[in-house]
Amino acid sequence: MRFHHNLVQATVDALHNIFNDGKYADQAIQKILKRDTRWGSRDRGFIAETTYDIVRYKRLYAEIANVHEPFKPVDLWRMTAVWIVLKGHAVPAWEEYYNTPERRIKGRFDELSKNRVFRESLPDWMDELALKELGGIWEKEASALNKQADVVLRANSLKTTPAELKEKLQSEEIAVSQQDRFPEALILKERANVFMTQAFKDGLFEVQDAGSQTIAPFLQVEPGMRVMDACAGAGGKALHLAALMENKGQIIATDIYKSKLNELKRRARRAGAHNIETRLIDSTKVIKKLAGKMDRLLIDAPCSGLGVLRRNPDAKWKLQPEFIDEIRATQQDILQRYSTVVKPDGMMVYATCSILASENENQVQEFLKSEAGATFELVEEQSLLAHRDGFDGFYMALMKKK
């Protein structure tokens, strides 16, 4: 493989922004990619994938390179040298790579790979917590969460079918595969900028992981219902609910961030979803006004995000154990407050993109034992794991109000 100095320099700059300046990986990479309009898709792919790879394995590469945070430019170049050697490529004869100890890098890798926190590149606290909560499956799950995530599309049934969408994408030279288990999902065979396609501009699909696509159907919505999406964000699941409801009935999408709800409105227009109404949660009155009025409630709760580390590998280094404690309290508070909107015989789904029982099953059990949860019963729960299901990790629990 032939390396280009300017592309590796761009990778080093992106890593500096992520590790030293605390920028989110996706934002840092997007900013770097705007630097040179002459870069083609292969160049841009190299920068993005190399940066993500080094972010994913930061602890391992830093240990092999014998560098410590905050990283100096020379440290980041040494980490890229480790990446090149471990990928089996020849190190370019550049000044930055002068005297790169290739044999020592390979030997150090073999030695460190015997220890899971280095092999899978994990903070000690995260490894201990996940091992405690997941037991023996953590070994496989940690490895699976380091694999690059597929790009998955959800065919928008308000405008097309998966078969029609597949044909349209093929006409735009984008090949996809399907899996019976995820009927609306189309999985890209090769990474591509799908946002440039006419199919995307026409609102024929949304980018949404296959695991995430199981949550809206789990709520068992029907056309004509009144449904609330309590933590709607930018609306991926609200749009899915609108499609399942065939644009009939009402979806009230709420969030504490106005910017996210504005993005939801924009996406809804493109998708042709007309039954979504957004409401900003700026006081307790919003929930009180809806008490006992909803047929269905979706709580896609804020969480640690440990199930989506394949997409957000920098979360490993940004997350702190205190945040996990805080988010558990927030999850239970949301369950307690929002569950009041469900009418008798109505149902709700509590979902997270976490793989920890303390954010999932334990939260549901705690809620059901509480005064607010005493009127609910657990109907069904389901979890998705990266190593077993091949997509992001999710948990969902369906509860019915007696």
Side-chain angles (χ1 to χ4, degrees):
M1 182 176 182
R2 185 161 172 259
F3 292 97
H4 300 276
H5 193 277
N6 66 328
L7 301 184
V8 182
Q9 180 68 65
T11 302
V12 166
D13 294 344
L15 292 170
H16 173 83
N17 293 338
I18 298 160
F19 294 150
N20 294 345
D21 297 341
K23 299 280 191 284
Y24 287 104
D26 58 343
Q27 292 170 4
I29 291 166
Q30 283 308 314
K31 189 177 178 185
I32 291 288
L33 293 180
K34 289 175 183 171
R35 184 187 287 179
D36 194 331
T37 54
R38 293 168 301 176
W39 286 335
S41 59
R42 190 173 290 181
D43 299 331
R44 297 160 69 82
F46 172 85
I47 295 167
E49 288 169 31
T50 307
T51 303
Y52 271 124
D53 224 11
I54 294 172
V55 169
R56 212 169 265 127
Y57 290 102
K58 179 181 87 164
R59 185 173 185 182
L60 175 65
Y61 291 174
E63 191 71 21
I64 292 172
N66 194 24
V67 297
H68 307 281
E69 291 181 271
F71 299 122
K72 299 188 287 290
V74 65
D75 298 334
L76 295 169
W77 277 97
R78 286 177 74 170
M79 287 169 75
T80 63
V82 170
W83 179 86
I84 289 169
V85 171
L86 295 181
K87 288 290 178 183
H89 304 302
V91 178
W94 299 339
E95 185 183 346
E96 292 88 350
Y97 294 147
Y98 181 68
N99 269 351
T100 296
E102 296 189 33
R103 285 177 66 181
R104 196 185 72 79
I105 287 171
K106 290 172 184 172
R108 199 85 178 94
F109 172 76
D110 291 342
E111 185 187 325
L112 291 169
S113 292
K114 294 168 187 169
N115 187 333
R116 183 174 58 242
V117 292
F118 289 115
R119 182 177 67 252
E120 305 304 345
S121 215
L122 299 158
D124 289 337
W125 72 266
M126 189 181 287
D127 184 59
E128 288 162 14
L129 177 64
L131 186 62
K132 180 182 163 190
E133 296 208 19
L134 292 166
I137 66 168
W138 172 234
E139 185 85 32
K140 291 178 184 173
E141 191 66 6
S143 177
L145 289 172
N146 272 330
K147 303 286 186 286
Q148 188 183 55
D150 290 316
V151 178
V152 185
L153 315 178
R154 176 182 60 77
N156 176 14
S157 60
L158 293 174
K159 291 189 170 189
T160 190
T161 66
E164 286 171 359
L165 177 59
K166 186 175 182 180
E167 210 169 287
K168 277 202 167 68
L169 289 169
Q170 279 173 341
S171 73
E172 297 195 56
E173 297 185 346
I174 291 178
V176 295
S177 63
Q178 292 173 273
Q179 280 192 20
D180 292 342
R181 191 177 168 196
F182 306 99
E184 292 171 309
L186 298 177
I187 304 143
L188 263 65
K189 291 183 179 178
E190 284 183 20
R191 299 183 87 76
N193 186 355
V194 293
F195 301 114
M196 298 300 289
T197 63
Q198 192 58 45
F200 176 75
K201 292 168 187 170
D202 292 342
L204 304 186
F205 68 83
E206 294 293 329
V207 176
Q208 186 180 12
D209 182 76
S212 177
Q213 291 185 36
T214 62
I215 293 172
F218 203 68
L219 191 56
Q220 298 179 20
V221 293
E222 291 172 18
M225 283 184 169
R226 286 195 84 192
V227 179
M228 182 176 181
D229 184 354
C231 308
K237 295 174 185 70
L239 294 173
H240 197 180
L241 289 168
L244 293 169
M245 292 165 67
E246 299 168 11
N247 255 341
K248 296 166 188 165
Q250 180 189 30
I251 297 168
I252 297 174
T254 67
D255 204 273
I256 58 172
Y257 298 108
K258 191 173 184 179
S259 59
K260 290 186 177 181
L261 293 177
N262 287 339
E263 171 69 2
L264 192 163
K265 288 178 190 172
R266 195 177 65 78
R267 291 174 74 186
R269 281 195 296 272
R270 190 182 62 241
H274 309 305
N275 64 338
I276 301 174
E277 177 190 326
T278 61
R279 291 189 195 177
L280 182 69
I281 301 288
D282 52 5
S283 74
T284 56
K285 290 178 186 173
V286 181
I287 303 168
K288 284 176 181 171
K289 281 181 183 173
L290 297 172
K293 292 181 178 175
M294 293 289 129
D295 296 298
R296 297 286 187 271
L297 165 66
L298 172 60
I299 298 175
D300 183 18
C303 67
S304 64
L306 289 187
V308 292
L309 287 180
R310 300 182 319 150
R311 290 180 195 286
N312 308 311
D314 51 325
K316 286 197 283 191
W317 317 117
K318 287 182 167 56
L319 271 178
Q320 296 299 326
E322 309 83 63
F323 175 81
I324 307 271
D325 295 331
E326 289 166 18
I327 209 69
R328 288 188 194 116
T330 301
Q331 289 162 351
Q332 192 58 226
D333 177 60
I334 289 171
L335 265 168
Q336 297 284 334
R337 289 188 299 117
Y338 283 85
S339 58
T340 57
V341 307
V342 183
K343 60 166 68 165
D345 277 338
M347 294 200 280
M348 74 170 176
V349 162
Y350 170 79
T352 76
C353 55
S354 175
I355 51 177
L356 298 177
S358 59
E359 294 185 80
N360 298 335
E361 298 91 335
N362 299 5
Q363 289 286 30
V364 170
Q365 288 308 315
E366 186 181 335
F367 168 71
L368 292 172
K369 287 172 189 168
S370 70
E371 189 180 339
T375 55
F376 284 86
E377 60 185 356
L378 179 63
V379 178
E380 187 186 353
E381 57 188 341
Q382 185 181 327
S383 62
L384 295 166
L385 293 167
H387 82 271
R388 186 188 64 204
D389 302 295
F391 297 97
D392 290 344
F394 283 95
Y395 168 82
M396 58 207 89
L398 178 67
M399 291 168 269
K400 185 173 185 176
K401 192 164 188 177
K402 299 169 193 171

